[in-house]
Amino acid sequence: MTSSHLSNNITDRIATIRQQLPETVRLIAVSKQVSAEAIREAYTAGIRDFGESRVQEAAAKQSQLQDLPDITWHLIGHLQTNKAKKALEHFPWIHSLDSLKLAQALNRLATSLSTNPQVLLQVKLLPDPNKYGWTVEELSTDLPALNECQNLQIKGLMTIAPLDLGSEEILTLFQNTRSLAAKIQQQNWSNITMEHLSMGMSDDYHLAVQAGATMVRLGRTLFGERS
Ligand SMILES: *Cc1c(COP(=O)(O)O)cnc(C)c1O
């Protein structure tokens, strides 16, 4: 298969998906395990937001794409505290903030690096052993301390649907996540807003959009299956 064939594919897929999304929904192209060349194709097709799961992998690709200065990089994978500094250096957005301890570490580092990362709180409304994130109860406990993290711009919630749900259950989960965001918004925290809801992946983004997602994170449906 030639690379021009591949590029047409990505370009067409992006156009098709973009048409299906309301203009206000931000399309994050998830480029984990995807080459810098394919990212470049997606960029040419108009994508400016890319999501990566691993700091190290992203940093390597970013260095190959330095000539594309208007890309916004989003960290969407679990972050260990010992990689927090590097994450701040490479990502203006972190969707996968999933514990108070990590928030406080990022907040401290953000001061010393003079950055104000935009972050989303990863929540888990249903039990899912494979997923990080706050339960509703845990988040309610931690919100006051999160609100003290003045160097973080806390902008909303992120969630991932468990793998084994049917469409109706996924839709309900996304709607409940939206309701949770609305409830937090009503509490009028000084340093927490709920402008954004990052939810929806290749198999469930239609449901997420229906439930009010403002960001969808799409990998396979844009770039093809990962190996
Ligand atoms: C991999 C990943 C995605 C993209 O998944 P696809 O099924 O390829 O669309 C979205 N969000 C997170 C957190 C991911 O890890």
Side-chain angles (χ1 to χ4, degrees):
M1 205 178 290
T2 65
S3 64
S4 70
H5 182 87
L6 181 64
S7 77
N8 284 336
N9 236 333
I10 292 174
T11 303
D12 290 351
R13 288 171 178 190
I14 288 171
T16 306
I17 300 281
R18 192 61 265 184
Q19 275 176 357
Q20 295 171 13
L21 295 174
E23 250 173 67
T24 50
V25 172
R26 196 156 162 184
L27 170 55
I28 318 291
V30 175
S31 50
K32 63 190 183 195
Q33 295 178 45
V34 166
S35 69
E37 290 71 41
I39 293 175
R40 208 172 269 285
E41 301 286 355
Y43 179 93
T44 304
I47 299 283
R48 292 295 179 273
D49 291 285
F50 290 90
E52 290 277 345
S53 290
R54 291 164 185 268
V55 179
Q56 197 62 46
E57 180 186 338
K61 284 184 252 182
Q62 286 171 6
S63 72
Q64 297 175 60
L65 297 165
Q66 282 172 22
D67 57 312
L68 309 178
D70 58 343
I71 289 181
T72 300
W73 294 94
H74 302 252
L75 182 66
I76 61 169
H78 175 65
L79 177 61
Q80 288 168 324
T81 310
N82 63 2
K83 298 203 179 107
K85 178 164 182 284
K86 192 152 183 168
L88 288 179
E89 290 165 347
H90 289 273
F91 293 94
W93 272 95
I94 298 175
H95 294 222
S96 45
L97 180 54
D98 57 15
S99 72
L100 180 58
K101 179 169 159 266
L102 178 62
Q104 290 171 332
L106 286 169
N107 188 53
R108 272 192 302 275
L109 289 162
T111 319
S112 57
L113 295 171
S114 303
T115 60
N116 294 99
Q118 305 181 83
V119 302
L120 302 176
L121 308 174
Q122 183 172 347
V123 293
K124 190 165 71 165
L125 274 67
L126 294 174
D128 186 343
N130 301 314
K131 294 289 180 293
Y132 293 94
W134 279 276
T135 65
V136 176
E137 294 73 25
E138 290 164 346
L139 185 59
S140 151
T141 303
D142 284 346
L143 277 174
L146 287 166
N147 190 56
E148 297 304 310
C149 295
Q150 298 285 329
N151 297 300
L152 306 182
Q153 302 181 62
I154 303 177
K155 294 254 169 140
L157 303 180
M158 181 273 235
T159 203
I160 304 171
L163 278 175
D164 55 357
L165 297 188
S167 307
E168 278 182 29
E169 294 165 303
I170 295 176
L171 180 61
T172 301
L173 171 69
F174 289 155
Q175 288 168 335
N176 289 343
T177 305
R178 185 191 182 169
S179 302
L180 175 62
K183 200 169 135 199
I184 295 170
Q185 183 70 40
Q186 282 169 2
Q187 295 167 350
N188 278 317
W189 298 97
S190 58
N191 193 43
I192 298 172
T193 65
M194 289 283 133
E195 290 160 60
H196 284 288
L197 275 177
S198 169
M199 51 191 198
M201 305 171 35
S202 291
D203 293 331
D204 57 20
Y205 69 93
H206 292 105
L207 301 168
V209 168
Q210 197 180 328
T214 67
M215 295 174 159
V216 293
R217 309 177 308 269
L218 304 184
R220 291 168 299 132
T221 194
L222 300 179
F223 294 112
E225 291 296 325
R226 292 179 291 272
S227 49

Coordinates of all heavy atoms in Angstrom, one line a residue, residues 23-76:
E23 N -20.6 21.5 14.9 CA -19.4 22.4 14.7 C -18.8 22.7 16.1 O -17.6 22.9 16.2 CB -19.8 23.7 14.1 CG -19.3 23.9 12.7 CD -19.8 25.1 12.1 OE1 -19.5 26.2 12.6 OE2 -20.6 25.0 11.1
T24 N -19.6 22.7 17.1 CA -19.1 23.1 18.4 C -18.4 22.0 19.2 O -17.7 22.2 20.2 CB -20.3 23.5 19.3 OG1 -21.3 22.5 19.2 CG2 -20.9 24.8 18.9
V25 N -18.4 20.8 18.6 CA -17.7 19.7 19.3 C -16.3 19.6 18.8 O -16.0 19.6 17.6 CB -18.4 18.3 19.0 CG1 -17.6 17.1 19.5 CG2 -19.8 18.3 19.6
R26 N -15.4 19.6 19.7 CA -14.0 19.6 19.4 C -13.5 18.2 19.1 O -13.7 17.3 20.0 CB -13.2 20.2 20.5 CG -11.8 20.7 20.2 CD -11.4 21.7 21.2 NE -10.0 21.9 21.3 CZ -9.4 22.8 22.2 NH1 -10.1 23.5 23.0 NH2 -8.1 22.9 22.2
L27 N -12.9 17.9 18.0 CA -12.5 16.6 17.6 C -11.0 16.4 18.0 O -10.2 17.1 17.4 CB -12.7 16.4 16.1 CG -12.1 15.2 15.4 CD1 -12.6 13.9 16.1 CD2 -12.5 15.2 13.9
I28 N -10.8 15.5 18.9 CA -9.4 15.2 19.3 C -9.0 13.9 18.6 O -9.6 12.9 18.8 CB -9.3 14.9 20.8 CG1 -10.1 15.9 21.7 CG2 -7.9 14.9 21.3 CD1 -9.7 17.3 21.7
A29 N -8.0 14.0 17.7 CA -7.6 12.8 17.0 C -6.6 12.1 17.9 O -5.5 12.6 18.2 CB -6.9 13.2 15.7
V30 N -6.9 10.9 18.3 CA -6.1 10.1 19.2 C -5.0 9.4 18.4 O -5.3 8.4 17.6 CB -6.9 9.1 20.0 CG1 -6.0 8.2 20.9 CG2 -7.9 9.9 20.9
S31 N -3.8 9.8 18.5 CA -2.7 9.4 17.6 C -1.7 8.5 18.3 O -0.6 8.3 17.9 CB -2.0 10.6 17.1 OG -1.6 11.5 18.1
K32 N -2.2 7.8 19.4 CA -1.3 6.8 20.1 C -1.0 5.7 19.1 O -1.9 5.3 18.4 CB -1.9 6.3 21.4 CG -3.2 5.6 21.2 CD -3.9 5.3 22.5 CE -5.2 4.5 22.3 NZ -6.1 4.5 23.4
Q33 N 0.2 5.2 19.1 CA 0.7 4.2 18.1 C 0.5 4.6 16.7 O 0.6 3.7 15.8 CB -0.1 2.9 18.4 CG 0.1 2.3 19.7 CD -0.7 1.0 19.9 OE1 -0.8 0.2 19.1 NE2 -1.3 0.9 21.1
V34 N 0.3 5.9 16.4 CA 0.2 6.3 15.0 C 1.5 7.1 14.7 O 2.0 7.8 15.5 CB -1.0 7.2 14.9 CG1 -1.0 8.0 13.6 CG2 -2.3 6.4 15.0
S35 N 2.0 7.0 13.5 CA 3.2 7.6 13.1 C 3.1 9.1 13.0 O 2.0 9.7 12.8 CB 3.7 7.1 11.8 OG 2.9 7.5 10.7
A36 N 4.3 9.8 13.1 CA 4.3 11.2 12.8 C 3.8 11.6 11.4 O 3.1 12.6 11.2 CB 5.7 11.8 13.1
E37 N 4.1 10.7 10.5 CA 3.6 11.0 9.1 C 2.1 11.0 9.0 O 1.5 11.8 8.4 CB 4.1 9.9 8.1 CG 5.6 9.9 7.9 CD 6.4 9.5 9.1 OE1 6.0 8.5 9.7 OE2 7.5 10.1 9.3
A38 N 1.5 10.0 9.7 CA 0.0 10.0 9.7 C -0.6 11.2 10.4 O -1.6 11.7 10.0 CB -0.5 8.7 10.3
I39 N 0.1 11.6 11.5 CA -0.4 12.8 12.2 C -0.3 14.0 11.2 O -1.2 14.9 11.2 CB 0.5 13.1 13.4 CG1 0.3 12.0 14.5 CG2 0.2 14.5 14.1 CD1 1.1 12.0 15.7
R40 N 0.8 14.1 10.5 CA 0.9 15.1 9.5 C -0.2 15.2 8.5 O -0.7 16.2 8.1 CB 2.3 14.9 8.8 CG 2.9 16.2 8.3 CD 4.3 15.8 7.8 NE 5.4 16.0 8.8 CZ 5.8 17.1 9.2 NH1 5.4 18.3 8.7 NH2 6.7 17.2 10.2
E41 N -0.6 14.0 8.0 CA -1.7 13.9 7.1 C -3.0 14.4 7.7 O -3.8 15.1 7.1 CB -2.0 12.4 6.7 CG -0.8 11.7 6.1 CD -0.6 12.1 4.6 OE1 -1.4 12.9 4.1 OE2 0.4 11.7 4.1
A42 N -3.2 14.0 9.0 CA -4.4 14.5 9.7 C -4.4 16.0 9.8 O -5.4 16.7 9.7 CB -4.6 13.8 11.0
Y43 N -3.2 16.5 10.1 CA -3.1 18.0 10.2 C -3.4 18.7 8.9 O -4.2 19.7 8.9 CB -1.6 18.3 10.6 CG -1.3 19.8 10.7 CD1 -1.4 20.4 12.0 CD2 -0.9 20.5 9.6 CE1 -1.2 21.8 12.1 CE2 -0.7 21.9 9.7 CZ -0.8 22.5 11.0 OH -0.5 23.8 11.1
T44 N -2.9 18.1 7.8 CA -3.2 18.7 6.5 C -4.7 18.7 6.2 O -5.3 19.5 5.6 CB -2.5 17.9 5.4 OG1 -1.1 17.9 5.7 CG2 -2.7 18.5 4.0
A45 N -5.4 17.6 6.8 CA -6.9 17.5 6.6 C -7.6 18.4 7.6 O -8.8 18.4 7.6 CB -7.3 16.1 6.8
G46 N -6.9 19.2 8.4 CA -7.5 20.2 9.2 C -7.5 20.0 10.7 O -8.0 20.8 11.5
I47 N -7.0 18.8 11.1 CA -7.0 18.5 12.6 C -5.9 19.3 13.3 O -4.8 19.4 12.8 CB -6.7 17.0 12.8 CG1 -7.8 16.1 12.2 CG2 -6.6 16.7 14.3 CD1 -9.1 16.1 12.9
R48 N -6.3 19.9 14.4 CA -5.3 20.7 15.2 C -5.2 20.2 16.6 O -4.3 20.6 17.4 CB -5.7 22.2 15.2 CG -5.6 22.9 13.9 CD -4.1 22.9 13.4 NE -4.0 23.6 12.1 CZ -4.1 22.9 10.9 NH1 -4.4 21.6 10.9 NH2 -4.0 23.6 9.8
D49 N -6.1 19.3 17.0 CA -6.0 18.7 18.4 C -5.7 17.2 18.3 O -6.4 16.5 17.6 CB -7.4 18.8 19.1 CG -7.7 20.3 19.4 OD1 -7.1 20.8 20.3 OD2 -8.5 20.9 18.6
F50 N -4.6 16.8 19.0 CA -4.2 15.5 19.0 C -4.1 14.9 20.4 O -3.7 15.7 21.3 CB -2.8 15.3 18.3 CG -2.9 15.5 16.8 CD1 -2.8 16.8 16.2 CD2 -3.3 14.4 15.9 CE1 -2.9 17.0 14.9 CE2 -3.4 14.6 14.5 CZ -3.2 15.9 14.0
G51 N -4.5 13.7 20.6 CA -4.5 13.1 21.9 C -3.5 11.9 22.0 O -3.4 11.1 21.0
E52 N -2.7 11.9 23.0 CA -1.8 10.8 23.2 C -1.9 10.2 24.6 O -2.3 11.0 25.5 CB -0.3 11.3 23.0 CG 0.0 11.7 21.6 CD 0.4 10.5 20.7 OE1 0.8 9.4 21.3 OE2 0.5 10.6 19.5
S53 N -1.6 8.9 24.7 CA -1.8 8.3 26.0 C -0.5 8.3 26.9 O -0.5 8.2 28.1 CB -2.2 6.8 25.9 OG -3.5 6.7 25.4
R54 N 0.7 8.4 26.2 CA 1.9 8.3 26.9 C 2.8 9.5 26.6 O 3.0 9.8 25.4 CB 2.7 7.0 26.4 CG 2.0 5.7 26.9 CD 2.5 4.5 26.1 NE 1.8 3.3 26.4 CZ 2.2 2.5 27.4 NH1 3.3 2.7 28.1 NH2 1.5 1.4 27.7
V55 N 3.4 10.0 27.6 CA 4.2 11.2 27.5 C 5.4 11.0 26.7 O 5.7 11.8 25.8 CB 4.6 11.7 29.0 CG1 5.4 12.9 28.9 CG2 3.4 11.9 29.8
Q56 N 6.1 9.9 26.9 CA 7.3 9.6 26.2 C 7.1 9.5 24.7 O 7.8 10.1 23.8 CB 7.9 8.3 26.7 CG 9.4 8.1 26.4 CD 10.3 9.2 26.9 OE1 10.1 9.6 28.1 NE2 11.1 9.8 26.1
E57 N 6.1 8.7 24.3 CA 5.7 8.5 22.9 C 5.3 9.9 22.2 O 5.7 10.2 21.1 CB 4.6 7.5 22.8 CG 4.1 7.3 21.3 CD 2.9 6.4 21.2 OE1 2.6 5.6 22.2 OE2 2.2 6.4 20.2
A58 N 4.6 10.7 22.9 CA 4.2 12.0 22.4 C 5.3 12.9 22.2 O 5.5 13.5 21.2 CB 3.1 12.6 23.3
A59 N 6.2 12.9 23.2 CA 7.4 13.8 23.1 C 8.2 13.5 21.9 O 8.7 14.4 21.1 CB 8.2 13.7 24.4
A60 N 8.4 12.2 21.6 CA 9.2 11.8 20.4 C 8.5 12.3 19.1 O 9.2 12.8 18.2 CB 9.3 10.2 20.4
K61 N 7.2 12.1 19.0 CA 6.5 12.6 17.8 C 6.5 14.1 17.7 O 6.6 14.7 16.6 CB 5.1 12.0 17.8 CG 5.1 10.5 17.4 CD 3.7 10.0 17.2 CE 3.4 9.1 18.4 NZ 2.0 8.5 18.3
Q62 N 6.3 14.8 18.8 CA 6.3 16.2 18.8 C 7.6 16.8 18.3 O 7.6 17.8 17.5 CB 6.0 16.8 20.2 CG 4.6 16.6 20.7 CD 4.4 16.9 22.2 OE1 5.3 17.4 22.8 NE2 3.2 16.7 22.7
S63 N 8.7 16.1 18.6 CA 10.0 16.7 18.1 C 10.1 16.5 16.6 O 10.8 17.3 15.9 CB 11.1 16.0 18.8 OG 11.3 14.7 18.4
Q64 N 9.3 15.6 16.0 CA 9.3 15.4 14.5 C 8.3 16.4 13.9 O 8.3 16.4 12.7 CB 9.0 14.0 14.2 CG 10.0 12.9 14.6 CD 9.4 11.6 14.3 OE1 9.2 11.2 13.1 NE2 9.2 10.7 15.3
L65 N 7.5 17.0 14.7 CA 6.4 17.8 14.1 C 6.5 19.3 14.5 O 5.5 20.0 14.6 CB 5.1 17.2 14.6 CG 4.8 15.8 14.1 CD1 3.6 15.2 14.9 CD2 4.5 15.8 12.6
Q66 N 7.7 19.7 14.9 CA 7.9 21.0 15.4 C 7.6 22.1 14.4 O 7.3 23.3 14.7 CB 9.4 21.2 15.8 CG 9.7 20.6 17.2 CD 11.2 20.6 17.5 OE1 11.9 21.4 16.9 NE2 11.6 19.8 18.3
D67 N 7.5 21.8 13.1 CA 7.2 22.7 12.1 C 5.7 23.0 12.0 O 5.2 23.8 11.2 CB 7.7 22.3 10.7 CG 7.1 20.9 10.3 OD1 7.2 20.0 11.2 OD2 6.6 20.8 9.2
L68 N 4.9 22.3 12.8 CA 3.4 22.5 12.9 C 3.1 23.1 14.2 O 2.7 22.4 15.2 CB 2.7 21.1 12.7 CG 3.1 20.3 11.5 CD1 2.3 19.0 11.5 CD2 2.9 21.0 10.2
P69 N 3.3 24.4 14.4 CA 3.3 25.0 15.7 C 1.9 25.2 16.3 O 1.8 25.3 17.5 CB 3.9 26.4 15.5 CG 3.6 26.7 14.0 CD 3.6 25.4 13.3
D70 N 0.8 25.1 15.5 CA -0.5 25.3 16.1 C -1.2 24.1 16.4 O -2.5 24.1 16.6 CB -1.3 26.2 15.1 CG -1.5 25.6 13.8 OD1 -0.7 24.7 13.4 OD2 -2.4 26.0 13.0
I71 N -0.5 23.0 16.7 CA -1.1 21.8 17.2 C -1.3 21.9 18.7 O -0.5 22.5 19.4 CB -0.3 20.5 17.0 CG1 -0.3 20.1 15.5 CG2 -0.8 19.3 17.8 CD1 0.5 18.9 15.2
T72 N -2.5 21.5 19.2 CA -2.7 21.4 20.7 C -2.7 19.9 21.0 O -3.4 19.1 20.5 CB -4.1 22.1 21.0 OG1 -4.1 23.4 20.6 CG2 -4.3 22.0 22.5
W73 N -1.8 19.6 22.0 CA -1.7 18.2 22.4 C -2.4 18.0 23.7 O -2.4 18.8 24.7 CB -0.2 17.9 22.7 CG 0.6 18.0 21.4 CD1 1.3 19.0 20.9 CD2 0.8 16.9 20.4 NE1 1.9 18.7 19.7 CE2 1.6 17.4 19.4 CE3 0.3 15.6 20.4 CZ2 1.9 16.6 18.3 CZ3 0.7 14.8 19.3 CH2 1.5 15.3 18.2
H74 N -3.2 16.9 23.7 CA -4.0 16.5 24.9 C -3.5 15.2 25.4 O -3.4 14.2 24.7 CB -5.4 16.3 24.4 CG -6.1 17.5 23.8 ND1 -7.0 18.3 24.4 CD2 -5.9 18.1 22.5 CE1 -7.4 19.3 23.6 NE2 -6.7 19.2 22.4
L75 N -3.2 15.1 26.7 CA -2.9 13.9 27.3 C -4.1 13.2 27.8 O -4.9 13.8 28.5 CB -1.9 14.1 28.5 CG -1.5 12.8 29.2 CD1 -0.6 12.0 28.3 CD2 -0.7 13.1 30.5
I76 N -4.3 12.0 27.3 CA -5.6 11.3 27.6 C -5.4 10.0 28.4 O -6.3 9.3 28.8 CB -6.4 10.9 26.4 CG1 -5.6 10.0 25.4 CG2 -6.8 12.2 25.6 CD1 -6.4 9.4 24.3

